[in-house]
Amino acid sequence: MKNFTSVYDIDHLRDLIAKALKIKKNPLGNPTKGKGKTIGLVFLNSSLRTRLSSQIAAQNLGLNVLTLNAAQEAWNLEFADGTVMNGDTVEHIKDAIEVLNQYCDIIAVRCFAGLKSKEDDVKESILSQFLKHAKVPVISLESATRHPLQSLADCLTITENWPFDKFGINRKPKVVLTWAPHIKPIAQAVGNSFAEWMQQMDVDFLIANPEAYDLDKNFTKDTKVVHNQDEALKNADFVYVKNWSSFEDYAAMPQVEENWMLTTEKLKSTNNAKVMHCLPVRRNLELSDEVIDGENSIIYQQAKNRIFSAQVVFSEILDELK
Ligand code: CP
């Protein structure tokens, strides 16, 4: 694995999941693998889980970790090429990345969608600069259109909760990604990414969202999309809840009449579904307290699995460096 920015950077998902779950059994089993190497974790946006799970994963491998909360602590970055920098921006992203090349053996970066220009976000205007200028492997900690470390953790969590051999279950689980309400425009990255990874998993996958909220077809591809949440939830084994803003009317929040918040009442038509959310979650807006705190919620297991998704990816990248 040279870089890790999407599911297309890995060869065999099933093997990667198996390796990650093996690491989970013994996270400190390879404590010197990263000895003498440095990973730079660059955050252009806020984070709790990604920052901490990546730090734990790196430390478990013996990597030196540099964490830069760039939006708060670094110079104000310029992203546009050819700009006369006589305004508020102090350092060009090109120069910042060239300097990171001097300090780091791996660069990991979080760079959310700006949600101002569809064109800039679709072309990954920031991540692409890292891929262009970095001379070391680049890992996405969530970019404008994808959140691959989250999706890998989601795959681990689904695998752990669909134990074929334990119960002799011999059918694919029905996995539903359902849109949820929010108070402000949120990027499509988690939904896009989850769709791409589910397409590679042995599951029956369905997306439910209001009409004006269809995700980009480049990510959903042939996945069935329905606009009726009740219909989608019937017999679901996993329900993944996430908000996103409109892709078509980019970053807008068209009015939705029905209440899409996931409640225990809505879960009654499912197959006792496990409930997932990447967090952070707006309680009693996206999901009810009762669902989040209920026995079918596996959201904290997902959060824990962020460590092992990061650790297996760092480990695979370290193999390439040797
Ligand atoms: N799920 C997730 O990426 O959480 P953070 O934004 O807190 O890192």
Side-chain angles (χ1 to χ4, degrees):
M1 193 188 297
K2 184 164 175 354
N3 298 308
F4 181 75
T5 64
S6 82
V7 73
Y8 304 112
D9 288 320
I10 63 175
D11 293 329
H12 301 291
L13 177 55
R14 198 183 276 254
D15 291 351
L16 195 68
I17 291 171
K19 282 184 193 171
L21 293 177
K22 193 170 168 205
I23 288 171
K24 186 172 183 177
K25 287 195 180 119
N26 185 18
L28 295 172
N30 214 341
T32 56
K33 185 164 188 174
K35 195 165 179 236
K37 299 272 193 296
T38 298
I39 185 167
L41 306 175
V42 180
F43 286 88
L44 298 173
N45 313 95
S46 303
S47 169
L48 187 155
R49 279 143 293 275
T50 307
R51 181 193 324 257
L52 299 183
S53 61
S54 297
Q55 285 181 346
I56 295 167
Q59 285 162 7
N60 285 349
L61 292 165
L63 278 159
N64 295 322
V65 187
L66 302 176
T67 302
L68 180 65
N69 300 313
Q72 293 86 29
E73 297 165 357
W75 300 110
N76 201 15
L77 291 167
E78 175 62 55
F79 296 99
D81 278 334
T83 308
V84 177
M85 288 174 57
N86 59 359
D88 291 341
T89 55
V90 179
E91 176 151 43
H92 200 281
I93 187 72
K94 270 198 274 200
D95 300 319
I97 297 168
E98 287 294 352
V99 173
L100 289 169
N101 283 329
Q102 314 303 313
Y103 303 154
C104 303
D105 300 284
I106 304 170
I107 300 173
V109 60
R110 166 162 280 200
C111 47
F112 284 175
L115 294 179
K116 291 193 172 71
S117 157
K118 185 177 194 171
E119 190 192 347
D120 281 352
D121 290 345
V122 166
K123 74 178 185 200
E124 292 281 7
S125 61
I126 300 178
L127 181 64
S128 62
Q129 300 228 37
F130 277 83
L131 291 168
K132 182 173 170 192
H133 298 294
K135 295 184 173 70
V136 299
V138 172
I139 295 173
S140 166
L141 301 172
E142 185 173 344
S143 68
T145 63
R146 294 181 169 108
H147 194 356
L149 284 174
Q150 177 67 54
S151 303
L152 176 53
D154 299 337
C155 291
L156 302 185
T157 312
I158 289 171
T159 302
E160 289 179 315
N161 282 280
W162 196 252
F164 288 86
D165 41 355
K166 193 168 170 193
F167 299 120
I169 303 168
N170 60 4
R171 66 174 176 84
K172 295 177 184 182
K174 177 177 175 182
V175 179
V176 178
L177 169 64
T178 179
W179 183 90
H182 210 281
I183 57 158
K184 61 177 191 173
I186 300 289
Q188 298 98 19
V190 170
N192 288 341
S193 200
F194 188 68
E196 284 186 329
W197 287 71
M198 285 304 106
Q199 287 153 15
Q200 308 280 329
M201 289 277 280
D202 204 13
V203 300
D204 284 327
F205 178 53
L206 178 69
I207 303 174
N209 56 256
E211 293 217 4
Y213 287 86
D214 283 0
L215 292 165
D216 184 351
K217 281 289 274 179
N218 284 316
F219 297 94
T220 58
K221 298 197 167 71
D222 294 332
T223 301
K224 188 174 174 195
V225 178
V226 299
H227 299 131
N228 180 322
Q229 191 185 38
D230 293 336
E231 184 192 319
L233 292 177
K234 276 181 202 156
N235 299 318
D237 298 297
F238 294 89
V239 179
Y240 196 111
V241 184
K242 184 72 184 95
N243 169 267
W244 56 86
S245 55
S246 173
F247 177 71
E248 190 182 356
D249 184 7
Y250 195 65
M253 296 173 65
Q255 184 80 21
V256 176
E257 298 304 332
E258 310 83 36
N259 187 358
W260 281 68
M261 180 176 81
L262 191 72
T263 60
T264 44
E265 187 57 34
K266 288 186 184 180
L267 282 174
K268 283 182 182 163
S269 71
T270 68
N271 185 28
N272 199 25
K274 301 289 186 195
V275 177
M276 304 177 72
H277 190 289
C278 63
L279 301 175
V281 63
R282 297 254 179 175
R283 282 175 173 257
N284 302 311
L285 180 68
E286 296 177 77
L287 296 88
S288 67
D289 275 339
E290 229 181 343
V291 173
I292 297 173
D293 299 329
E295 60 183 23
N296 284 22
S297 167
I298 52 173
I299 60 176
Y300 305 129
Q301 186 179 348
Q302 272 177 277
K304 181 164 185 175
N305 281 337
R306 292 295 309 275
I307 298 170
F308 313 110
S309 73
Q311 195 164 330
V312 76
V313 168
F314 298 170
S315 181
E316 295 285 298
I317 298 256
L318 283 169
D319 284 341
E320 291 285 314
L321 295 182
K322 285 180 179 159

